Amino acid sequence: MTDRPKASFLAGDGVAHVLMAQSALIFALNYVIGRWAAGEVAPYTLGFTRWTVGALVLLPFAWHLIRRDRVLLRRHWKLLCLLGFLMPLMGAGITYVALNYTTAINGGVIQTSLPVLILLLAWIVLGDRSTGRQVFGVVLAIVGLLYMVARGDPAVLLGLDFNRGDAVLLLCNLCLAGYGVAARLMPREIHTLTLLTMVCAVGALCHVPFFAAEVIQEGLPPASTRALVSLVFVAFFPSVVAILGWNIAIARLGPSRAGFYMYLVPVFSAAISVPFLGETLNAYHLIGAVLIVGGVTVSSRRPRADEPA
């Protein structure tokens, strides 16, 4: 087995790994910025800005691909609308609502459960076959998720006394998982950039009534440094830079290798939000994260040839 040339780091896997780490950092910063902006910028204003600017930035690059794929887009317009509802509005937009009530650390830890939630919904919706190992991994991750949401106290779950923001974040991640499952139904002939641009556009439209209601009730955000930084960040980084980088890296590394970078999201979230927002990292965060990561790792392992389904 020969070593790769040193130049291959920049030409291949090295760039993909950098893009993955960069995307994980941006996803973590999205929770931190969303929490930082709470009370200064209304949540649906953040979401509307994020997806509208994302669509406008991508449109010039995707226009020729959209024209090429227009027949397939028309044929699958209902599924496209579902994707735009599940990810930009329910999965991402309402996250900013949740961050008015919970911490960026919680957001980062809960997001690590996304792979097992996708696996769970794929079993239910698509009838994917599962192994005993995968079932165990899903159960382990869900236990970790509930442990963290309950702040290490089972009585919180029994009394339904958990943080409303954490409950909304769970809903957001279920919707993101639904997006991941529904996206598998789109024809592979549709270019990734076409799909991303159209999902951004549909997501922006889904935000319009909520954004309009916020403007009527609260007015536009103030021209403060916090508001401007928050709006500029969500406009360009989570929906354009991070998702494009993530897709490019997955195409190079494959989903199983790339998925482990999601574990960096809670690490980055905690590392930034503790000094920047004054949040506290507790034992239940660590225990919950270990259980979730363990469950995701177990459920993501490829089954052996002799392992029963």
PDB file of all heavy atoms in Angstrom, residues 4 7 37 96 147 239-240 246 299:
ATOM      1  N   ARG A   4      -0.213   8.340  -0.231  1.00  0.00           N
ATOM      2  CA  ARG A   4      -0.699   9.334  -1.174  1.00  0.00           C
ATOM      3  C   ARG A   4       0.292  10.479  -1.257  1.00  0.00           C
ATOM      4  O   ARG A   4       0.979  10.795  -0.292  1.00  0.00           O
ATOM      5  CB  ARG A   4      -2.060   9.888  -0.731  1.00  0.00           C
ATOM      6  CG  ARG A   4      -3.180   8.876  -0.797  1.00  0.00           C
ATOM      7  CD  ARG A   4      -4.465   9.554  -0.397  1.00  0.00           C
ATOM      8  NE  ARG A   4      -5.588   8.641  -0.434  1.00  0.00           N
ATOM      9  CZ  ARG A   4      -6.827   8.971  -0.152  1.00  0.00           C
ATOM     10  NH1 ARG A   4      -7.096  10.218   0.216  1.00  0.00           N
ATOM     11  NH2 ARG A   4      -7.805   8.099  -0.221  1.00  0.00           N
ATOM     12  N   ALA A   7       0.330  16.462  -1.929  1.00  0.00           N
ATOM     13  CA  ALA A   7      -0.594  17.420  -2.548  1.00  0.00           C
ATOM     14  C   ALA A   7      -2.036  16.957  -2.485  1.00  0.00           C
ATOM     15  O   ALA A   7      -2.958  17.754  -2.613  1.00  0.00           O
ATOM     16  CB  ALA A   7      -0.207  17.658  -4.007  1.00  0.00           C
ATOM     17  N   ALA A  37     -29.081  36.451  19.920  1.00  0.00           N
ATOM     18  CA  ALA A  37     -29.995  37.410  19.308  1.00  0.00           C
ATOM     19  C   ALA A  37     -31.352  37.448  19.993  1.00  0.00           C
ATOM     20  O   ALA A  37     -32.152  38.359  19.719  1.00  0.00           O
ATOM     21  CB  ALA A  37     -30.188  37.081  17.824  1.00  0.00           C
ATOM     22  N   TYR A  96     -34.960  28.996  16.233  1.00  0.00           N
ATOM     23  CA  TYR A  96     -34.730  30.330  16.791  1.00  0.00           C
ATOM     24  C   TYR A  96     -35.788  30.684  17.833  1.00  0.00           C
ATOM     25  O   TYR A  96     -35.516  31.448  18.768  1.00  0.00           O
ATOM     26  CB  TYR A  96     -34.707  31.374  15.674  1.00  0.00           C
ATOM     27  CG  TYR A  96     -33.595  31.168  14.671  1.00  0.00           C
ATOM     28  CD1 TYR A  96     -33.860  31.088  13.308  1.00  0.00           C
ATOM     29  CD2 TYR A  96     -32.277  31.048  15.088  1.00  0.00           C
ATOM     30  CE1 TYR A  96     -32.843  30.904  12.383  1.00  0.00           C
ATOM     31  CE2 TYR A  96     -31.249  30.855  14.182  1.00  0.00           C
ATOM     32  CZ  TYR A  96     -31.539  30.781  12.822  1.00  0.00           C
ATOM     33  OH  TYR A  96     -30.523  30.574  11.918  1.00  0.00           O
ATOM     34  N   TYR A 147     -32.624  11.890  28.882  1.00  0.00           N
ATOM     35  CA  TYR A 147     -31.872  12.175  30.104  1.00  0.00           C
ATOM     36  C   TYR A 147     -31.418  13.632  30.120  1.00  0.00           C
ATOM     37  O   TYR A 147     -31.503  14.318  31.152  1.00  0.00           O
ATOM     38  CB  TYR A 147     -30.663  11.248  30.194  1.00  0.00           C
ATOM     39  CG  TYR A 147     -29.853  11.428  31.463  1.00  0.00           C
ATOM     40  CD1 TYR A 147     -30.208  10.761  32.630  1.00  0.00           C
ATOM     41  CD2 TYR A 147     -28.729  12.256  31.488  1.00  0.00           C
ATOM     42  CE1 TYR A 147     -29.474  10.923  33.803  1.00  0.00           C
ATOM     43  CE2 TYR A 147     -27.993  12.427  32.647  1.00  0.00           C
ATOM     44  CZ  TYR A 147     -28.367  11.755  33.809  1.00  0.00           C
ATOM     45  OH  TYR A 147     -27.643  11.923  34.959  1.00  0.00           O
ATOM     46  N   SER A 239     -27.021  28.572   5.869  1.00  0.00           N
ATOM     47  CA  SER A 239     -27.763  28.041   4.726  1.00  0.00           C
ATOM     48  C   SER A 239     -26.952  27.949   3.448  1.00  0.00           C
ATOM     49  O   SER A 239     -27.301  27.180   2.563  1.00  0.00           O
ATOM     50  CB  SER A 239     -29.006  28.903   4.460  1.00  0.00           C
ATOM     51  OG  SER A 239     -29.822  28.953   5.593  1.00  0.00           O
ATOM     52  N   VAL A 240     -25.887  28.720   3.327  1.00  0.00           N
ATOM     53  CA  VAL A 240     -25.104  28.713   2.090  1.00  0.00           C
ATOM     54  C   VAL A 240     -23.743  28.064   2.321  1.00  0.00           C
ATOM     55  O   VAL A 240     -23.446  26.988   1.791  1.00  0.00           O
ATOM     56  CB  VAL A 240     -24.932  30.148   1.540  1.00  0.00           C
ATOM     57  CG1 VAL A 240     -24.085  30.126   0.270  1.00  0.00           C
ATOM     58  CG2 VAL A 240     -26.292  30.776   1.256  1.00  0.00           C
ATOM     59  N   TRP A 246     -20.936  21.082   3.479  1.00  0.00           N
ATOM     60  CA  TRP A 246     -21.336  19.765   3.983  1.00  0.00           C
ATOM     61  C   TRP A 246     -21.615  18.805   2.834  1.00  0.00           C
ATOM     62  O   TRP A 246     -21.157  17.658   2.829  1.00  0.00           O
ATOM     63  CB  TRP A 246     -22.572  19.921   4.863  1.00  0.00           C
ATOM     64  CG  TRP A 246     -22.965  18.706   5.631  1.00  0.00           C
ATOM     65  CD1 TRP A 246     -23.879  17.762   5.274  1.00  0.00           C
ATOM     66  CD2 TRP A 246     -22.442  18.288   6.894  1.00  0.00           C
ATOM     67  NE1 TRP A 246     -23.963  16.787   6.234  1.00  0.00           N
ATOM     68  CE2 TRP A 246     -23.098  17.089   7.242  1.00  0.00           C
ATOM     69  CE3 TRP A 246     -21.486  18.826   7.759  1.00  0.00           C
ATOM     70  CZ2 TRP A 246     -22.824  16.411   8.430  1.00  0.00           C
ATOM     71  CZ3 TRP A 246     -21.218  18.145   8.945  1.00  0.00           C
ATOM     72  CH2 TRP A 246     -21.881  16.961   9.268  1.00  0.00           C
ATOM     73  N   SER A 299     -25.716   2.473  16.001  1.00  0.00           N
ATOM     74  CA  SER A 299     -26.741   2.327  14.969  1.00  0.00           C
ATOM     75  C   SER A 299     -26.213   2.608  13.571  1.00  0.00           C
ATOM     76  O   SER A 299     -26.789   2.147  12.582  1.00  0.00           O
ATOM     77  CB  SER A 299     -27.924   3.255  15.261  1.00  0.00           C
ATOM     78  OG  SER A 299     -27.526   4.611  15.212  1.00  0.00           O
TER      79      SER A 299
END
